[in-house]
Amino acid sequence: MPEAAPVRDPRIRVMVVDDSAIVRGLIVQTLERDPALRVVARAANGEAALSELARTPVDVVVLDIEMPVMDGLTALPLILQRQPDMKVVMASTLTRRNARISLQALQAGAADYVPKPETGGLVGAEEFARELIAKVKALGGRGAAPTATTAPTPVTTRTAPLSPPIRPQVVAIGGSTGAPPALMTLFQALKGELEQAVLLTQHMPPTFTAMLAEQLERAGGRPAAEARDGEPVLPGRVYVAPGGWHMRVGQSRRVPVIRLNQEAPEHFCRPSVDPMLRSAAAVFGPGLLAVILTGMGADGAEGCRAVAEAGGRFVVQDEATSVVWGMPGAAAKTGLAEAVLPLDQIAPWVRRACA
């Protein structure tokens, strides 16, 4: 009788790359808590990681930034050149320099990042463990974007309203995994063509959001900064929710203003997209246009429902162009989206809606 084909281990195969043996070991222990994950390789620098990849099949790489011999930013394009569909999660401490490098890595093809705890090491850092495991699982196949042979998830969109929509006063954008490069694409495509204020909640830690705002200002050619509590929402400006704070919209003397708070995380995130959208819908009503970009989880779906119920409109990024079709998929499945669009079609749609 012919031999049966070997059964592939269904667990997600992970390689951990970090120059500290202690940190490497702790990350391995963290990942192996989850029965869906299996660490198949470890490396102390980028050069060793490339050698490991030559002999070990891997689905996801957790890649440190600062390492001797070959650092993470140097190794990243070589890893992707060797295996273009590889998902790479950058791991770094929350310094301004590392935030800048992590954002560069996302532009260069990294799928996501996770901030290492700065004090007390990784032992007992439950938030780090939860975030790392969730991102590796999402990128490794549970929620990741479909392959060319995978049929897209069917969704229904909202029927056209009886009366024509009013011109939006504000555009609100939410995103997570894979969204920073998508934001750069979107802002570059809208450069010089959008008068409305833009509210942005991107799942990012402190320091990262300030760097993101700087990049968006360069890409979009309009003022962009972390939002400040109490400042008015003005046309032509971009307000980025600061890491660690929910960004809402309130009113002061009938003028829309930013309200920041540190209430409990929603969807394990602070900032979260839902509080931004719920509050903006209450203030702007039919004058609100929302966009949900790639990201894991379901943050933004409830907020999008509030937008639609208030007479506003929202569109979502499609499954094929999303790194993870969690957030946009959850919003699309409400059945209230005006459109489900590839990334390169979102800017033209927003431009027409805001004209």
Side-chain angles (χ1 to χ4, degrees):
M1 294 182 62
E3 291 185 13
V7 178
R8 184 190 180 282
D9 189 329
R11 292 176 292 176
I12 296 168
R13 302 165 296 187
V14 187
M15 176 165 67
V16 177
V17 187
D18 197 295
D19 63 315
S20 166
I22 294 174
V23 172
R24 205 163 56 239
L26 289 170
I27 292 177
V28 169
Q29 290 176 20
T30 296
L31 292 169
E32 291 189 334
R33 289 188 207 173
D34 194 292
L37 306 177
R38 180 167 66 109
V39 177
V40 296
R42 313 178 195 200
N45 57 64
E47 187 176 274
L50 290 167
S51 297
E52 284 288 345
L53 282 177
R55 55 180 176 267
T56 307
V58 173
D59 301 309
V60 180
V61 175
V62 179
L63 184 62
D64 188 21
I65 288 177
E66 297 178 318
M67 297 178 289
V69 184
M70 182 185 290
D71 62 32
L73 195 59
T74 302
L76 174 64
L78 300 175
I79 290 171
L80 295 176
Q81 182 180 355
R82 181 162 293 180
Q83 191 172 328
D85 61 346
M86 176 70 72
K87 304 301 182 185
V88 180
V89 179
M90 306 303 295
S92 70
T93 52
L94 287 175
T95 65
R96 184 172 176 83
R97 178 177 180 274
N98 282 344
R100 176 180 56 78
I101 294 172
S102 293
L103 289 172
Q104 287 178 351
L106 292 173
Q107 288 294 110
D112 212 335
Y113 53 86
V114 62
K116 295 180 187 175
E118 287 192 271
T119 58
L122 301 181
V123 179
E126 289 305 313
E127 175 60 21
F128 169 80
R130 184 204 63 77
E131 186 175 359
L132 179 64
I133 289 170
K135 288 183 174 182
V136 170
K137 290 176 70 173
L139 293 168
R142 290 156 177 76
T147 63
T149 58
T150 304
T153 304
V155 293
T156 57
T157 53
R158 190 179 185 182
T159 55
L162 295 177
S163 57
I166 70 170
R167 187 169 184 257
Q169 296 172 264
V170 168
V171 177
I173 305 172
S176 183
T177 303
L183 285 165
M184 297 303 161
T185 298
L186 182 61
F187 273 62
Q188 287 167 354
L190 291 172
K191 189 171 185 177
E193 300 195 45
L194 199 64
E195 298 175 4
Q196 287 78 357
V198 175
L199 306 172
L200 169 63
T201 292
Q202 164 71 31
H203 294 167
M204 274 186 165
T207 307
F208 280 63
T209 45
M211 296 295 302
L212 177 65
E214 292 177 12
Q215 289 195 357
L216 292 176
E217 181 167 315
R218 289 193 294 270
R222 55 161 54 200
E226 285 186 317
R228 301 189 309 274
D229 188 65
E231 68 176 319
V233 178
L234 300 175
R237 301 189 66 87
V238 181
Y239 301 85
V240 178
W245 296 79
H246 292 308
M247 181 175 69
R248 300 176 186 265
V249 181
Q251 285 191 312
S252 176
R253 298 174 182 172
R254 299 186 180 181
V255 175
V257 296
I258 297 294
R259 294 297 185 205
L260 302 178
N261 68 63
Q262 291 188 308
E263 293 175 2
E266 297 191 27
H267 305 278
F268 300 101
C269 296
R270 192 174 61 209
S272 171
V273 178
D274 275 335
M276 175 186 71
L277 293 181
R278 288 195 304 262
S279 61
V283 171
F284 296 105
L288 177 62
L289 174 64
V291 178
I292 302 296
L293 298 175
T294 172
M296 68 181 193
D299 190 18
E302 178 192 325
C304 282
R305 188 179 294 279
V307 171
E309 289 173 352
R313 312 159 71 189
F314 72 92
V315 296
V316 305
Q317 187 174 349
D318 72 355
E319 190 172 8
T321 62
S322 294
V323 175
V324 178
W325 207 58
M327 287 171 54
K333 288 169 188 172
T334 65
L336 299 172
E338 292 244 346
V340 179
L341 300 171
L343 177 60
D344 63 1
Q345 292 183 25
I346 293 177
W349 193 96
V350 171
R351 193 183 301 120
R352 289 192 299 271
C354 291

